[in-house]
Amino acid sequence: MLHIMSQDTGKIGALQTGLFANDYREEPYWWSAAPLPSADENNEPAGLGGRADVVIVGGGITGLVAAIYLARAGCDVAVVDAQRIGEGAARRNAGFVGRTLKRSVEWLAQKSGREHALKVYRELDAAMRGVQAFVEREGIECHYQTCGRFIAANSTAHFRALIAELEQTRQAVGFDYSVVEKHDVHAEIASDSYHGGAVIPDLGSIHPGLYHAGLVRKALDAGVRLYPLTNVVGIDHTANEKTVRTSRGDIAAPHVIVATNGYTSRDLRWLARRVIPFRGFVIATELLPPETIDKVIPRRRTYLDTRMNIDFIRTAPDSSRILFGGMTGTASPTATPLAGALRDRLVRILPDLKGVRLSRAWTGHCAGTFDFMPHIGTKDGVHFALGYNFAGIPLGTHFGEKLAARILQRGDMSSAFDVEKFPTVPFFNGSPWFVPLAMRYFDWHDDRIAKG
Ligand SMILES: Cc1cc2nc3c(=O)[nH]c(=O)nc-3n(C[C@H](O)[C@H](O)[C@H](O)COP(=O)(O)OP(=O)(O)OC[C@H]3O[C@@H](n4cnc5c(N)ncnc54)[C@H](O)[C@@H]3O)c2cc1C
């Protein structure tokens, strides 16, 4: 038995040998190349300073992108975060860059009209493309790659539904894809689990830790003030002024942005009642020989399946190991207890990895919404963007700029995701007790579709 320290809980647990490599830790793989900034690196000013032009709650992707644009336009910007800067989902995600949306273009067209559906999908595309344009323009070294994505169908019925939806989307908005028949799956992934699939060639991947570290650097260069370990407990507002109440004192500003996503605390009650936090889990294998990677995922794309509760696979940017995510929504505050089950799931998909050991496992909060749509808007004079449902790298980058545009009153501030209705349900207060049940329902639903 090995004794392993969980970085997230500080607890020491006895763990199965054969599962964990000697360097195992519960910590995002990305933090090795992009450790969380210390208070010194944050250049943290001594006090909150009482006033700012803009206060931003949340120092993830959304908050920092907004901060960069606002500070460059001459605003005095203070970013406050309850954790260390980047300790939210920004440096915990899987680094897939895509046009992920749970609602199809046809579903949206029926619900809110074809014109709105097309606007949503075009904006998603702009958000996805915007990441590459942004990192190139800013010179952020974060391994952006247009690797393409393979979507693997879990059954013949899933395959038919996948191709039908991709074809509808191509006809509506022109997004390209190619069909992969069942007998060609091994050219993409060494797995017998799938019944065909599709490749979307223009989707990408990124090192999320280095991306966020780049945002921190750009924000500091632009003069943004960063306040980690500063919890916002309330926002009071009058017509022209808001007071952000924090664990380290108050700070007043004419403009406030809330960019708290899956970490939105119940103190921010109106938003907490609309965002459903649920946990995502990721493991990283030990170092693997290049021949193994060549064999199991020769094209080194990003991979996910067609279930509502997806499994997802990619290589580390240097192709040295495989990262795998799944069991989303499980009610475990840490990833280590799920590491064995996650590895079993990975090996069921890729049997060549039998016996592989793990170097990292981690968890982070994703943000769902009751209408499965991301939202940007303004409530009581406070601007917000959240509920990204697994598409936070493109949407965080895109909405960060949109939020800045709102405050600067730029012509490009509108968004198709800014809709009047941001639904909640009675008695929901931000506690996601029902998420494991919902995930079981999705599994049942996926199995029913699979049976045709
Ligand atoms: C395991 C996992 C895998 C994912 N994979 C992908 C992927 O492959 N591709 C993709 O595009 N997206 C993915 N996502 C989603 C993506 O990471 C998020 O949508 C994105 O990071 C959201 O960025 P953000 O800046 O809005 O929020 P975050 O990065 O979560 O930052 C929010 C911040 O708000 C702070 N905060 C909350 N409440 C308060 C308060 N009261 N006071 C002060 N601060 C507060 C938190 O401390 C936190 O740091 C994944 C998420 C997870 C968890």
Side-chain angles (χ1 to χ4, degrees), residues 6-199:
S6 159
Q7 301 250 324
D8 277 349
T9 63
K11 283 184 193 149
I12 293 178
L15 297 164
Q16 214 182 311
T17 44
L19 175 58
F20 296 104
N22 290 337
D23 65 345
Y24 176 79
R25 345 194 246 283
E26 170 137 356
E27 184 188 275
Y29 168 71
W30 316 115
W31 292 10
S32 301
L36 293 178
S38 65
D40 281 357
E41 284 164 290
N42 281 333
N43 234 350
E44 187 187 349
L48 285 177
R51 280 204 66 80
D53 295 329
V54 186
V55 176
I56 299 178
V57 188
I61 302 169
T62 314
L64 288 190
V65 171
I68 291 165
Y69 282 104
L70 286 162
R72 286 182 185 165
C75 301
D76 173 24
V77 183
V79 175
V80 291
D81 198 297
Q83 308 182 81
R84 289 172 289 173
I85 301 290
E87 199 169 357
R91 291 196 200 189
R92 292 175 182 269
N93 64 63
F96 287 38
V97 181
R99 290 180 285 256
T100 309
L101 193 67
K102 291 283 184 203
R103 298 301 193 194
S104 71
V105 74
E106 285 308 313
W107 189 95
L108 278 175
Q110 278 173 26
K111 197 82 183 161
S112 53
R114 181 150 296 271
E115 196 185 331
H116 181 246
L118 297 184
K119 272 193 191 153
V120 163
Y121 266 75
R122 291 199 181 110
E123 193 169 333
L124 263 184
D125 188 43
M128 196 275 292
R129 291 179 193 290
V131 176
Q132 186 176 8
F134 183 75
V135 298
E136 280 175 9
R137 203 168 54 239
E138 297 290 335
I140 298 176
E141 300 281 342
C142 55
H143 303 284
Y144 189 96
Q145 291 172 37
T146 307
C147 51
R149 179 178 298 177
F150 178 59
I151 306 179
N154 297 80
S155 71
T156 311
H158 278 225
F159 176 68
R160 281 196 300 269
L162 169 70
I163 302 305
E165 186 180 328
L166 289 173
E167 186 50 34
Q168 280 173 346
T169 314
R170 170 153 66 188
Q171 285 177 19
V173 270
F175 302 161
D176 200 14
Y177 70 97
S178 58
V179 176
V180 178
E181 299 290 347
K182 186 173 180 182
H183 52 83
D184 290 329
V185 164
H186 272 250
E188 291 291 338
I189 184 165
S191 180
D192 293 326
S193 300
Y194 302 118
H195 297 248
V199 169

Side-chain angles (χ1 to χ4, degrees), residues 116-387:
H116 181 246
L118 297 184
K119 272 193 191 153
V120 163
Y121 266 75
R122 291 199 181 110
E123 193 169 333
L124 263 184
D125 188 43
M128 196 275 292
R129 291 179 193 290
V131 176
Q132 186 176 8
F134 183 75
V135 298
E136 280 175 9
R137 203 168 54 239
E138 297 290 335
I140 298 176
E141 300 281 342
C142 55
H143 303 284
Y144 189 96
Q145 291 172 37
T146 307
C147 51
R149 179 178 298 177
F150 178 59
I151 306 179
N154 297 80
S155 71
T156 311
H158 278 225
F159 176 68
R160 281 196 300 269
L162 169 70
I163 302 305
E165 186 180 328
L166 289 173
E167 186 50 34
Q168 280 173 346
T169 314
R170 170 153 66 188
Q171 285 177 19
V173 270
F175 302 161
D176 200 14
Y177 70 97
S178 58
V179 176
V180 178
E181 299 290 347
K182 186 173 180 182
H183 52 83
D184 290 329
V185 164
H186 272 250
E188 291 291 338
I189 184 165
S191 180
D192 293 326
S193 300
Y194 302 118
H195 297 248
V199 169
I200 308 192
D202 60 340
L203 305 190
S205 67
I206 210 167
H207 187 305
L210 292 177
Y211 180 45
H212 186 266
L215 295 179
V216 170
R217 267 195 318 277
K218 299 284 164 186
L220 290 172
D221 289 350
V224 174
R225 293 186 272 144
L226 299 180
Y227 297 96
L229 307 177
T230 307
N231 186 33
V232 171
V233 295
I235 303 170
D236 300 329
H237 61 96
T238 58
N240 301 319
E241 185 85 340
K242 280 112 204 141
T243 303
V244 178
R245 288 185 284 111
T246 86
S247 52
R248 295 172 62 192
D250 293 352
I251 177 161
H255 304 286
V256 175
I257 288 174
V258 175
T260 48
N261 238 295
Y263 291 81
T264 305
S265 61
R266 283 190 220 167
D267 296 314
L268 305 168
R269 191 164 179 279
W270 190 85
L271 288 170
R273 292 205 60 231
R274 283 158 178 81
V275 176
I276 309 162
F278 57 93
R279 285 187 175 272
F281 298 90
V282 189
I283 52 174
T285 68
E286 62 191 325
L287 282 170
L288 295 171
E291 319 71 92
T292 305
I293 308 245
D294 283 343
K295 182 162 186 217
V296 298
I297 40 177
R299 304 224 159 114
R300 290 168 169 71
R301 302 191 196 281
T302 56
Y303 302 82
L304 46 77
D305 62 23
T306 47
R307 300 174 70 89
M308 282 289 277
N309 189 0
I310 55 168
D311 289 329
F312 47 97
I313 302 174
R314 61 168 290 181
T315 58
D318 65 357
S319 287
S320 59
R321 49 184 102 226
I322 286 179
L323 275 49
F324 172 77
M327 302 181 72
T328 305
T330 307
S332 170
T334 56
T336 300
L338 302 187
L342 285 163
R343 199 236 348 223
D344 291 349
R345 238 176 140 106
L346 170 63
V347 171
R348 259 202 308 280
I349 297 169
L350 296 172
D352 291 300
L353 296 182
K354 189 164 182 239
V356 73
R357 293 180 308 162
L358 307 182
S359 286
R360 299 284 187 280
W362 70 94
T363 177
H365 292 211
C366 308
T369 52
F370 288 101
D371 58 3
F372 292 91
M373 292 293 287
H375 285 263
I376 180 169
T378 304
K379 166 75 179 161
D380 295 334
V382 172
H383 306 289
F384 64 84
L386 27 67

